[in-house]
Amino acid sequence: MQSFAPQPRLLLFGAAELARPLGEFAAAMGYRVTVCDARRAFADPGRFPAAEVVVDRPDRWFRDHEDLVDRSTAVCVLTHDARFDVPVLTRALSSAAGYVGAMGSRRTHADRMARLRAAGVGEDRLAGLRSPIGLDLGGRGPEETALSVLAEIVAVRRGGSGLPLTAGTGPVHAL
């Protein structure tokens, strides 16, 4: 059976260690993956064989490619640097992306939210930010963290609860 649905996209801003397994797992799930980082030393295509790798400021790349973003696009901001996080998140939260998430601790999240408010992002847009990113799977390390992030992306995209299947009573796979 041939599908005419658009290929989902995963946009990874920040070539952090988490971006490697996150990009690999997403590509295996059929996502078209782009890794963008302003730091040439981190944006090494050899680290991300399953992705298009771009050296550019995340907000500038997003601005120049926003026409590619639709409901099937997931945006993950992994930079850990407010100079890059806030501008790209400001754009992503105003876009058609179906998922926007940012890496960081709860303290980093609170600081990021204050910076986004100061940048003029409204509460309605901020409500769409998934941060800290991922589901609580109790995982450790980049691979298990990537799994938790992709689980959250799939749950948001498909309307899943993120709860264990044992907690439900209806059909396991809804049509």
Side-chain angles (χ1 to χ4, degrees), residues 120-131:
V121 179
E123 294 300 319
D124 59 327
R125 297 292 183 185
L126 291 174
L129 177 59
R130 301 291 183 141
S131 178

Side-chain angles (χ1 to χ4, degrees), residues 34-89:
T34 300
V35 176
C36 177
D37 198 303
R39 304 162 298 178
R40 187 171 304 279
F42 289 90
D44 175 5
R47 290 181 61 214
F48 307 100
E52 170 193 18
V53 179
V54 178
V55 178
D56 200 352
R57 282 189 58 91
D59 59 309
R60 182 171 44 215
W61 187 93
F62 197 94
R63 180 198 67 213
D64 293 346
H65 297 87
E66 194 165 352
D67 60 316
L68 302 175
V69 176
D70 61 19
R71 295 291 306 154
S72 69
T73 302
V75 176
C76 296
V77 177
L78 312 174
T79 60
H80 296 288
D81 186 333
R83 294 174 304 153
F84 298 119
D85 288 3
V86 172
V88 74
L89 283 170

Side-chain angles (χ1 to χ4, degrees), residues 161-172:
S161 68
L163 295 173
L165 290 175
T166 58
T169 58
V172 172

Side-chain angles (χ1 to χ4, degrees), residues 71 89-90 92-94 97-102 109 112-114 116-117 120-132 152 156:
R71 295 291 306 154
L89 283 170
T90 299
L93 289 167
S94 295
Y99 177 94
V100 179
H109 172 68
R112 183 184 297 123
M113 293 293 277
L116 288 165
R117 285 183 183 101
V121 179
E123 294 300 319
D124 59 327
R125 297 292 183 185
L126 291 174
L129 177 59
R130 301 291 183 141
S131 178
E152 183 177 46
V156 168

